[in-house]
Amino acid sequence: MNNFLKYLLYLIFIFIVGFFYFQMKTENQNSNLVDFTPDSSRNDSSQEEIVPRYPIPDIEKNNVEKSNLISLPPIAESDEYLRIELSDLIADELFSLVSKSNLVEKIVATIDNLPRAYLAERMRPINIESEKFIVEAQGTLDGFILSEKNYERYNSLTDTLEVIDKNVLAEIYLRFYPLFQEAYQDLGYPDVYFNDRLIDVIDHLLDTPEVNDPIILHTPNNLYEYVHPEIESLSSGQKLLIRMGKRNTNRIKQFLIEFRALIS
């Protein structure tokens, strides 16, 4: 009996010592841990919902027959769906140039890059090869004049744009908007609304300065550049409008003004 009592007391003693040792060790480890508890006061702003500056109009308010609509496909399978929608809207000549792959992504990337210095041809949604400037010599003066023949090349494109039903184009844009938003997020803008970017780009193009002829060019690096630095420093989109000539530029600006009103 005495031996049993001694053995019991010995076990109790070991248990107590082990318990306190574990407690002390645990407290010491906890004191060295970094507190990862979220600071709600610090994260409130980042968790707030981002409100678009130009909300997408409600598609139901745009006289779209919902019974005629189909569910949007995944973006990777959307090319043919969007091409079908556009086929009834634009002339065959222009539709034949519409990209058959990554159409949504190319539209978004092109729009995003219009206010920038460079616009990659491989990302254009319409497969039109860039043509060289048509220029005329300045007689005995250095440099070249941008020929009016250069403007004429864009007349048919502008004519086609003018006859597009802007209401139908806006309806297509609104229906496919979730895919445009997804493509824009994939570009690296997860917290930005694509419609905000589109409106900003339209406004940027509308701010293209009106340049009177003659427009003087030179070739400092074997490529034509505008002599006047205020023109050469413009974005790729604004320089493209200038390259189309004043008449075509004004027609395109009017189209953009009317389309902007339908999506904002």
Side-chain angles (χ1 to χ4, degrees):
M1 188 70 176
N2 291 335
N3 290 335
F4 176 77
L5 183 59
K6 289 180 180 180
Y7 178 73
L8 181 61
L9 292 174
Y10 177 75
L11 288 177
I12 293 174
F13 174 79
I14 292 176
F15 174 78
I16 293 174
V17 171
F19 174 79
F20 280 105
Y21 173 79
F22 177 79
Q23 283 291 98
M24 293 172 63
K25 185 175 182 180
T26 302
E27 290 175 359
N28 183 58
Q29 290 176 338
N30 287 342
S31 66
N32 295 324
L33 293 177
V34 178
D35 183 10
F36 286 103
T37 304
D39 184 347
S40 58
S41 62
R42 183 172 53 193
N43 293 332
D44 281 346
S45 59
S46 63
Q47 293 176 354
E48 291 179 358
E49 182 181 357
I50 299 175
V51 179
R53 290 178 289 118
Y54 301 101
I56 290 295
D58 189 345
I59 193 171
E60 294 183 2
K61 296 179 181 180
N62 286 270
N63 300 320
V64 178
E65 289 292 337
K66 297 187 69 175
S67 59
N68 295 331
L69 302 183
I70 60 173
S71 299
L72 283 180
I75 191 170
E77 302 172 8
S78 63
D79 291 321
E80 197 56 38
Y81 289 85
L82 183 52
R83 281 175 54 84
I84 289 174
E85 294 287 347
L86 295 176
S87 64
D88 295 330
L89 183 64
I90 60 180
D92 292 340
E93 181 181 358
L94 181 59
F95 178 73
S96 65
L97 302 174
V98 174
S99 177
K100 296 180 180 179
S101 64
N102 302 316
L103 183 55
V104 170
E105 295 93 329
K106 288 179 179 178
I107 291 173
V108 169
T110 295
I111 290 172
D112 184 56
N113 279 282
L114 283 172
R116 307 184 194 278
Y118 178 71
L119 182 61
E121 288 190 19
R122 64 182 180 82
M123 291 305 297
R124 294 181 183 180
I126 300 178
N127 299 315
I128 300 178
E129 294 185 4
S130 294
E131 298 178 340
K132 294 182 179 180
F133 282 108
I134 300 177
V135 299
E136 300 172 359
Q138 284 200 94
T140 59
L141 299 177
D142 293 334
F144 306 88
I145 296 174
L146 185 62
S147 173
E148 291 186 5
K149 295 180 181 178
N150 196 78
Y151 309 150
E152 294 172 3
R153 298 187 302 185
Y154 297 99
N155 287 345
S156 60
L157 180 63
T158 308
D159 291 342
T160 301
L161 189 66
E162 277 190 328
V163 299
I164 288 178
D165 189 325
K166 288 174 282 294
N167 289 287
V168 175
L169 181 62
E171 290 171 1
I172 294 173
Y173 171 70
L174 296 179
R175 278 188 279 139
F176 280 79
Y177 183 78
L179 300 185
F180 290 122
Q181 180 65 41
E182 180 181 345
Y184 193 53
Q185 290 174 334
D186 290 342
L187 277 181
Y189 306 100
D191 300 320
V192 182
Y193 287 87
F194 176 67
N195 200 55
D196 288 350
R197 178 60 172 169
L198 176 56
I199 297 296
D200 288 343
V201 171
I202 290 176
D203 290 343
H204 172 79
L205 295 177
L206 292 176
D207 286 338
T208 301
E210 188 172 287
V211 180
N212 295 317
D213 293 324
I215 298 176
I216 312 302
L217 305 169
H218 64 160
T219 54
N221 299 304
N222 297 322
L223 295 174
Y224 288 112
E225 295 182 4
Y226 296 98
V227 167
H228 298 288
E230 62 271 21
I231 301 178
E232 183 59 33
S233 63
L234 294 175
S235 69
S236 60
Q238 291 179 329
K239 285 195 284 190
L240 177 60
L241 287 180
I242 291 174
R243 187 172 176 173
M244 291 181 174
K246 187 187 299 185
R247 178 174 175 272
N248 286 330
T249 295
N250 289 336
R251 295 164 69 193
I252 291 174
K253 283 185 175 182
Q254 183 59 40
F255 177 91
L256 293 175
I257 289 171
E258 296 175 14
F259 182 71
R260 184 190 190 283
L262 296 172
I263 63 171
S264 62

